[in-house]
């Protein structure tokens, strides 16, 4: 990673924080109405142990849910990508399921599995993030040029060989593009459950505690912590993309 790739995002974040601080200062908002970046430092100092503990709880549940979404989403995408009949059968179901607001599903799951908070949270993270993965894999496989398959088949290649040599590399760019979206969606699912569940733990529960006590600096500190974790996971995906699908990246101008 070049100095430019590191410096430009950091500069953008710094400008964002300065504008945020200026907006609060110009409007004269007190911290019980709108917290500023300078209000967050005392919140982190006061609740640092809670941020570490609950941040880890949020992170591992999100990662587990995302890994399940990768496995199940890839499997469904392969089924739809290799079979037009299955694609026609499953697409309406997936689209309909994805159209349901997950905020309405969270209370149902919380009541169905009362007390099983880890399972509930991982399940919602999975449910909200597998759709883009399934669709991207399906599109990548279904748009594979038939000439490639015909040539390999004429050379005696099996379906497995065709998948590993042609289909998989063709699908990787779409897969990693969807995975970048799924990372943020998984965090949304995790925090929805942590906030709604009566036995919630994690950063979502810490945010809900701040809301109950009208502690705006704590609430905004949680939001920034969630953003940080999301950015970290996003760049993990970017690093994996460069390793496994770096050949597909074209250098951007400017």
């Amino acid at each position: 990673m070049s100095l430019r790739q590191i410096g430009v995002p950091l500069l953008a974040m710094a400008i964002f924080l300065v504008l945020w601080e200026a907006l609060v200062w110009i409007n004269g908002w007190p911290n019980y109405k709108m917290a500023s970046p300078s209000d967050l430092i005392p919140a982190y100092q006061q609740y640092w142990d809670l941020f570490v503990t609950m941040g880890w709880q949020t992170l591992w549940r999100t990662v587990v849910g995302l890994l399940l979404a990768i496995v199940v989403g890839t499997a469904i995408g392969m089924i739809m990508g290799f079979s037009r009949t299955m694609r026609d059968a499953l697409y309406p179901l997936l689209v309909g399921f994805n159209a349901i607001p997950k905020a309405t599903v969270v209370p149902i799951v919380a009541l169905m599995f009362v007390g099983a908070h880890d399972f509930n949270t991982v399940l919602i993270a999975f449910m909200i993030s597998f759709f883009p993965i399934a669709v991207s894999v399906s599109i990548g496989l279904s748009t594979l040029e038939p000439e490639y398959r015909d040539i390999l088949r004429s050379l005696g290649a099996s379906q497995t060989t065709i998948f590993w040599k042609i289909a998989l590399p063709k699908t990787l760019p779409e897969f990693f593009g969807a995975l970048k979206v799924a990372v943020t969606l998984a965090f949304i699912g995790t925090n929805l459950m942590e906030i709604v569940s009566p036995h919630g733990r994690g950063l979502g529960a810490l945010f809900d505690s701040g809301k109950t006590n009208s502690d705006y600096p704590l609430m905004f500190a949680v939001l920034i912590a969630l953003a940080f974790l999301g950015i970290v996971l996003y760049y993990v995906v970017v690093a994996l993309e460069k390793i496994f699908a770096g050949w597909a990246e074209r250098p951007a101008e400017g």
Side-chain angles (χ1 to χ4, degrees):
M1 184 174 288
S2 66
L3 182 62
R4 176 180 176 275
Q5 290 174 309
I6 298 174
V8 171
L10 291 178
L11 178 61
M13 293 178 194
I15 292 173
F16 169 76
L17 292 175
V18 169
L19 292 177
W20 178 5
E21 184 77 30
L23 180 66
V24 175
W25 181 77
I26 291 172
N27 288 280
W29 289 329
N31 64 7
Y32 59 80
K33 183 176 182 180
M34 177 68 176
S36 66
S38 58
D39 294 323
L40 307 187
I41 298 175
Y44 285 124
Q45 292 174 338
Q46 182 177 356
Y47 301 106
W48 180 250
D49 291 340
L50 285 176
F51 272 101
V52 172
T53 301
M54 295 193 172
W56 166 247
Q57 291 174 346
T58 294
L59 181 62
W60 80 257
R61 295 190 194 103
T62 301
V63 170
V64 172
L66 185 63
L67 291 175
L68 287 174
I70 291 172
V71 173
V72 176
T74 301
I76 294 175
M78 289 175 63
I79 292 171
M80 294 192 299
F82 284 126
S83 172
R84 184 177 183 84
T85 300
M86 294 303 297
R87 184 163 65 250
D88 293 339
L90 292 177
Y91 248 122
L93 295 175
L94 291 177
V95 171
F97 176 80
N98 194 60
I100 299 173
K102 298 306 179 287
T104 62
V105 178
V106 169
I108 298 174
V109 173
L111 291 174
M112 287 178 63
F113 306 101
V114 176
H117 179 68
D118 290 341
F119 176 78
N120 292 345
T121 309
V122 170
L123 179 60
I124 291 296
F126 156 74
M127 290 171 63
I128 204 171
S129 59
F130 84 96
F131 179 77
I133 297 174
V135 171
S136 68
V137 173
S138 172
I139 292 175
L141 293 177
S142 62
T143 55
L144 181 64
E145 291 81 355
E147 304 87 55
Y148 293 152
R149 295 181 182 179
D150 294 340
I151 292 173
L152 287 176
R153 282 171 180 166
S154 66
L155 295 174
S158 64
Q159 188 70 22
T160 303
T161 302
I162 294 174
F163 172 76
W164 285 107
K165 296 295 185 182
I166 301 295
L168 182 61
K170 169 71 168 55
T171 307
L172 282 178
E174 289 88 351
F175 169 78
F176 279 107
L179 190 55
K180 293 174 185 176
V181 177
V183 163
T184 57
L185 293 177
F187 269 108
I188 292 173
T190 300
N191 284 276
L192 280 174
M193 179 57 72
E194 290 175 347
I195 291 173
V196 171
S197 175
H199 305 288
R201 298 187 299 273
L203 290 177
L206 189 58
F207 177 89
D208 193 53
S209 175
K211 182 186 70 175
T212 301
N213 297 299
S214 298
D215 190 341
Y216 276 65
L218 175 59
M219 293 167 64
F220 277 91
V222 170
L223 295 179
I224 295 300
L226 287 170
F228 173 76
L229 291 178
I231 291 171
V232 169
L233 271 190
Y234 174 86
Y235 278 104
V236 169
V237 173
V238 170
L240 293 174
E241 182 183 25
K242 289 185 179 297
I243 294 173
F244 295 105
W247 52 268
E249 182 179 357
R250 296 177 181 177
E253 297 181 0

